[in-house]
Amino acid sequence: MNDALWYKDAIIYQLHVKAFLDSNADGIGDFRGLTDKLDYLQDLGITALWLLPMYPSPFKDDGYDISDYLDIHKHYGTLKDFQEFLDEAHRRNLRVITELVINHTSDQHPWFQDARRSPSSPYRDYYVWSDSDQKYSGTRIIFTDTERSNWSWDPDAKAYYWHRFFSHQPDLNFDHPRVREEVIDIMKFWLDKGVDGLRVDAVPYLVEREGTSCENLPETHEVLKEIRRAVDAGYPDRMLLAEANQWPADVRPYFANGDEFHMAFHFPLMPRIFMAIKKEDRHPITDILRQTPPIPPNCQWALFLRNHDELTLEMVTADERDYLYREYCTDPRMKINIGIRRRLASLMDNDRRKIELLNSLLFTMPGTPILYYGDELGMGDNIYLGDRNGVRTPMQWTGDRNAGFSRAETAQLYLPLNVDPVFGYQALNVEAQLRVPNSLLKWTKRILTVRKKHRTFGRGTLEFLNPSNRAILAYVRKFEGETLLIVNNLASTAQPVELDLRRFIGTDVIELLGETKFPRVAEHPYQLSLTPYGYFWFQLASSHGARR
Ligand code: NOJ
């Protein structure tokens, strides 16, 4: 547990406490329930958990609207329940990452309630106020479906307040030193409890300046470096993960010289994976990774296919966005803001081959993979639920009442269970998949076991091969004397490929999932045939030496 770069070898599982297991029959998952399911998570093979916001909140943005940073929402239990969960997770060598949502609070937070009452409130300057709604007019709106402006009028304060997200989420004013101190105190409160990492929400938007887009400003980076200094000073083995939905060149500064964030999500890569498989062409992926600048040695990309939000299409061109909407949104209900609110399995038409292929990419490209809860089973979504709730339904444990998630009245569940004939819990659940040797869940377990045997996946270099068949995405990963070769077929038809592996002449080729020996590399091009959406994970090993 004491490698400071632990996040480079991690496999992160993202979950919402409310969605996992309800221990007290109120229809909402809680920490005691989650603690009971740690054995499941350990057995699955993940090494870290990322919990969505768990703090007191009016829940107008699923907990990203925080009204008290220093407590647990009563639906989820108590601080004691949280501590027990954390200790139990650590006992199983599982790390825990929680949320640090600091760009904004809920309008119900006592700071805002006090601030709006009077200009002389000590909390007034915790927020960003204006007499006019015309300031910072160069700033885009993020929640385009619901918000018309980044300013809202507060009748009590008799002033406009600034908000980058929902109007009930006033932005904090990071020009105020007390705000920065408060944020660091909040962070220390959770780090002192023992959390291993923090996903810092919405980091590009902390500071506002006239005449700019109010995104990625140097002043914002200063604040973030101050936060990092506080982590390094007291908690050197902890990790900060940036949520910065930006182009690679704009995300790169969040790593700075290895002294800002340890990790950042690779947002632009994700939609291009979905594009590549539809187009049956590797170029969307290779192009964006070629445009991705190198990062400092102590830093790492966080890779994901799906999460609790819409599949965001902010980081693609207008043409690419049209293409993805056309291909993946057969019903207008699937769209939200600038994105698509669907889960992985439904996006892949529940085609097991495609689901495996996308996971093959997730687990072999450079970075740390993040698995969204339920995707290990191929859970579906419900596009008839509001906002992004369709991808946040209860975990499907069994075919029993309430999917084994809760003993509450079915009508009391925080969201309805999926009862679709294909994706419904009666057919698709953990218990059933544990019984079937070839289930997606069993496959996921196997693939995680293999991934964990090779640190090269998390730490190695990346080099693309350039076969003439554009449907084939092949790359070499190298780390400390180990060489891996990954070959993916993005097409729905069988494909041949010839790879130039001359530099590896004489090496053995071992397929890692079956430990099968393939023909040795020779002078002539290395020929492979791939099944539709097929993939190979090979180790290239000197025929005399040891395999690892
Ligand atoms: C990013 C979170 O991922 C999203 O769920 C939330 O709505 C916004 N931040 C606003 O807090």
Side-chain angles (χ1 to χ4, degrees), residues 61 64 104 143 165 169 199 201 243 308-309 388 392:
D61 182 15
Y64 281 97
H104 48 268
F143 285 166
F165 295 96
Q169 289 166 317
R199 173 214 184 249
D201 187 66
E243 192 220 13
H308 64 295
D309 286 329
R388 292 146 290 174
R392 300 170 177 179

Side-chain angles (χ1 to χ4, degrees), residues 231-527:
V231 173
D232 285 351
Y235 315 88
D237 54 343
R238 314 299 170 90
M239 182 277 288
L240 293 174
L241 164 59
E243 192 220 13
N245 187 356
Q246 303 283 332
W247 292 99
D250 294 323
V251 178
R252 174 63 187 82
Y254 289 93
F255 295 116
N257 294 319
D259 57 355
E260 205 168 306
F261 279 94
H262 305 81
M263 293 184 72
F265 293 101
H266 202 313
F267 276 99
L269 172 62
M270 180 274 301
R272 286 174 178 79
I273 295 177
F274 289 92
M275 210 153 95
I277 190 171
K278 268 286 175 200
K279 291 200 152 162
E280 309 198 345
D281 185 334
R282 67 172 179 266
H283 284 80
I285 295 174
T286 52
D287 288 351
I288 199 73
L289 286 177
R290 286 206 175 98
Q291 285 169 37
T292 301
I295 57 176
N298 60 338
C299 294
Q300 179 80 330
W301 290 108
L303 307 182
F304 64 105
L305 297 169
R306 292 296 303 109
N307 62 22
H308 64 295
D309 286 329
E310 66 274 29
L311 191 170
T312 159
L313 300 179
E314 281 164 312
M315 290 305 125
V316 294
T317 64
D319 283 351
E320 292 168 336
R321 192 172 307 135
D322 288 347
Y323 175 79
L324 286 161
Y325 274 143
R326 201 166 55 241
E327 294 295 334
Y328 286 110
C329 287
T330 44
D331 184 321
R333 277 187 209 94
M334 295 169 178
K335 289 189 187 176
I336 185 171
N337 298 319
I338 304 175
I340 305 172
R341 48 177 182 176
R342 300 182 70 193
R343 267 188 180 267
L344 179 65
S346 24
L347 286 163
M348 293 299 104
D349 304 315
N350 204 28
D351 184 331
R352 171 73 179 267
R353 300 167 306 173
K354 292 203 254 179
I355 297 173
E356 284 191 17
L357 176 66
L358 257 63
N359 278 306
S360 162
L361 298 172
L362 174 70
F363 288 118
T364 59
M365 288 199 291
T368 291
I370 304 184
L371 202 62
Y372 185 51
Y373 86 91
D375 282 354
E376 74 273 30
L377 309 175
M379 264 171 63
D381 47 53
N382 179 350
I383 56 169
Y384 296 91
L385 299 176
D387 200 350
R388 292 146 290 174
N389 290 329
V391 301
R392 300 170 177 179
T393 57
M395 181 70 175
Q396 297 173 189
W397 294 107
T398 70
D400 300 337
R401 188 167 72 90
N402 295 339
F405 160 73
S406 169
R407 285 170 292 104
E409 295 289 333
T410 298
Q412 207 186 339
L413 301 187
Y414 74 91
L415 279 177
L417 282 156
N418 195 320
V419 289
D420 176 278
V422 175
F423 293 109
Y425 71 90
Q426 298 91 336
L428 194 150
N429 59 66
V430 171
E431 186 181 58
Q433 293 204 13
L434 285 176
R435 284 198 193 172
V436 184
N438 193 38
S439 64
L440 183 60
L441 177 58
K442 287 276 180 89
W443 176 86
T444 309
K445 283 173 63 163
R446 217 164 48 238
I447 212 96
L448 294 191
T449 308
V450 175
R451 155 109 194 179
K452 282 193 293 188
K453 281 190 195 154
H454 302 270
R455 295 211 301 171
T456 304
F457 287 121
R459 302 199 183 214
T461 54
L462 169 80
E463 187 199 331
F464 287 118
L465 303 181
N466 284 310
S468 57
N469 183 347
R470 292 170 69 121
I472 301 295
L473 174 64
Y475 38 94
V476 173
R477 307 284 321 271
K478 280 186 173 176
F479 179 69
E480 287 185 350
E482 184 181 65
T483 304
L484 303 179
L485 167 67
I486 315 297
V487 190
N488 301 286
N489 175 13
L490 299 162
S492 59
T493 48
Q495 294 292 324
V497 67
E498 293 194 342
L499 298 173
D500 179 356
L501 298 181
R502 273 173 299 182
R503 355 179 221 145
F504 303 112
I505 286 177
T507 55
D508 283 338
V509 178
I510 298 132
E511 196 284 327
L512 290 175
L513 306 185
E515 309 243 315
T516 311
K517 241 178 162 176
F518 271 54
R520 200 171 279 173
V521 180
E523 285 285 350
H524 48 78
Y526 199 78
Q527 297 189 346

Side-chain angles (χ1 to χ4, degrees), residues 21-309:
L21 188 75
D22 169 19
S23 75
N24 62 350
D26 65 355
I28 306 167
D30 44 51
F31 275 106
R32 290 195 172 178
L34 176 56
T35 308
D36 280 349
K37 287 297 182 187
L38 283 171
D39 288 341
Y40 166 79
L41 293 167
Q42 186 180 25
D43 186 50
L44 178 60
I46 55 103
T47 68
L49 301 177
W50 157 25
L51 307 185
L52 290 167
M54 58 200 187
Y55 316 103
S57 159
F59 285 141
K60 287 181 173 174
D61 182 15
D62 209 12
Y64 281 97
D65 46 333
I66 296 176
S67 54
D68 179 358
Y69 284 100
L70 305 179
D71 206 351
I72 295 290
H73 196 289
K74 59 180 187 312
H75 287 163
Y76 304 153
T78 61
L79 279 169
K80 186 165 164 283
D81 294 338
F82 173 75
Q83 191 68 57
E84 272 168 27
F85 150 76
L86 187 60
D87 296 343
E88 281 300 313
H90 285 164
R91 215 167 55 77
R92 291 169 175 79
N93 283 335
L94 298 174
R95 310 255 181 181
V96 175
I97 300 162
T98 55
E99 288 271 351
L100 189 64
V101 185
I102 55 174
N103 176 66
H104 48 268
T105 69
S106 159
D107 61 4
Q108 301 306 304
H109 195 289
W111 295 341
F112 190 71
Q113 290 297 321
D114 201 279
R116 75 201 314 189
R117 254 175 235 136
S118 145
S120 60
S121 157
Y123 296 101
R124 185 71 160 201
D125 289 341
Y126 274 38
Y127 296 91
V128 182
W129 300 97
S130 171
D131 294 335
S132 128
D133 61 357
Q134 297 305 309
K135 263 176 104 177
Y136 311 139
S137 58
T139 312
R140 72 186 167 117
I141 291 167
I142 297 171
F143 285 166
T144 48
D145 284 3
T146 43
E147 302 303 322
R148 290 283 155 266
S149 167
N150 288 315
W151 290 107
S152 284
W153 176 255
D154 185 70
D156 291 344
K158 299 196 180 43
Y160 290 97
Y161 63 90
W162 179 251
H163 56 85
R164 289 307 303 273
F165 295 96
F166 288 120
S167 58
H168 55 74
Q169 289 166 317
D171 273 31
L172 284 166
N173 171 18
F174 278 87
D175 285 326
H176 190 350
R178 276 294 298 146
V179 167
R180 299 201 294 272
E181 283 163 28
E182 295 270 18
V183 161
I184 287 178
D185 287 349
I186 292 163
M187 177 175 82
K188 287 183 175 167
F189 177 85
W190 293 103
L191 293 176
D192 285 338
K193 299 216 170 304
V195 307
D196 302 280
L198 295 163
R199 173 214 184 249
V200 191
D201 187 66
V203 292
Y205 319 118
L206 300 187
V207 178
E208 303 73 34
R209 288 291 178 266
E210 200 54 79
T212 72
S213 67
C214 294
E215 300 191 5
N216 312 320
L217 299 184
E219 293 86 343
T220 291
H221 285 287
E222 275 316 307
V223 173
L224 295 167
K225 287 214 178 71
E226 195 178 325
I227 291 176
R228 172 63 181 267
R229 281 195 295 275
V231 173
D232 285 351
Y235 315 88
D237 54 343
R238 314 299 170 90
M239 182 277 288
L240 293 174
L241 164 59
E243 192 220 13
N245 187 356
Q246 303 283 332
W247 292 99
D250 294 323
V251 178
R252 174 63 187 82
Y254 289 93
F255 295 116
N257 294 319
D259 57 355
E260 205 168 306
F261 279 94
H262 305 81
M263 293 184 72
F265 293 101
H266 202 313
F267 276 99
L269 172 62
M270 180 274 301
R272 286 174 178 79
I273 295 177
F274 289 92
M275 210 153 95
I277 190 171
K278 268 286 175 200
K279 291 200 152 162
E280 309 198 345
D281 185 334
R282 67 172 179 266
H283 284 80
I285 295 174
T286 52
D287 288 351
I288 199 73
L289 286 177
R290 286 206 175 98
Q291 285 169 37
T292 301
I295 57 176
N298 60 338
C299 294
Q300 179 80 330
W301 290 108
L303 307 182
F304 64 105
L305 297 169
R306 292 296 303 109
N307 62 22
H308 64 295
D309 286 329

